[in-house]
């Protein structure tokens, strides 16, 4: 039997049991992007550690934070002057 559900069934399951979040992208040491394994809803953690739904604004913020983290890591390794 397949474990795929229709979006309506998946949303109903998540409303009763809660989301089964899996980390899809580690933005920096504090911020993560996650996706629900059941319904596919995307979430992120904000700077306070709260899990919030992914929006366009949070997507842009996460992209900027990731760019800063990459530059910082390159500078620490001496690869970026």
């Amino acid at each position: 039997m397949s474990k795929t559900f229709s979006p309506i069934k998946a949303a109903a399951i998540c409303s009763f049991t809660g989301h089964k979040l899996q980390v899809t992208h580690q933005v920096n040491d504090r911020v993560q992007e996650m996706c629900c394994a059941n319904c596919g809803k995307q979430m992120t953690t904000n700077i306070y550690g709260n899990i919030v739904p992914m929006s366009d604004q949070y997507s842009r913020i996460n992209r900027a934070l990731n760019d800063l983290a990459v530059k910082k890591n390159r500078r620490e390794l001496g690869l970026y002057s």
Side-chain angles (χ1 to χ4, degrees):
M1 184 174 195
S2 175
K3 281 194 141 185
T4 58
F5 297 106
S6 71
I8 295 171
K9 285 183 181 178
I13 289 172
C14 287
S15 69
F16 289 119
T17 62
H19 293 286
K20 183 178 179 184
L21 297 174
Q22 296 175 340
V23 176
T24 57
H25 185 239
Q26 185 78 27
V27 176
N28 62 15
D29 59 340
R30 295 181 184 177
V31 179
Q32 303 169 341
E33 292 180 1
M34 298 163 277
C35 185
C36 177
N38 293 330
C39 66
K41 187 171 183 178
Q42 294 182 339
M43 308 285 247
T44 186
T45 53
N46 61 11
I47 59 172
Y48 303 110
N50 301 329
I51 297 175
V52 294
M54 179 69 82
S55 65
D56 215 24
Q57 179 183 8
Y58 280 115
S59 179
R60 287 182 298 208
I61 291 170
N62 287 353
R63 192 174 28 226
L65 286 173
N66 188 39
D67 291 345
L68 289 172
V70 167
K71 285 181 182 179
K72 178 183 175 186
N73 288 338
R74 285 184 180 171
R75 187 170 294 125
E76 288 175 352
L77 293 174
L79 300 174
Y80 188 77
S81 52

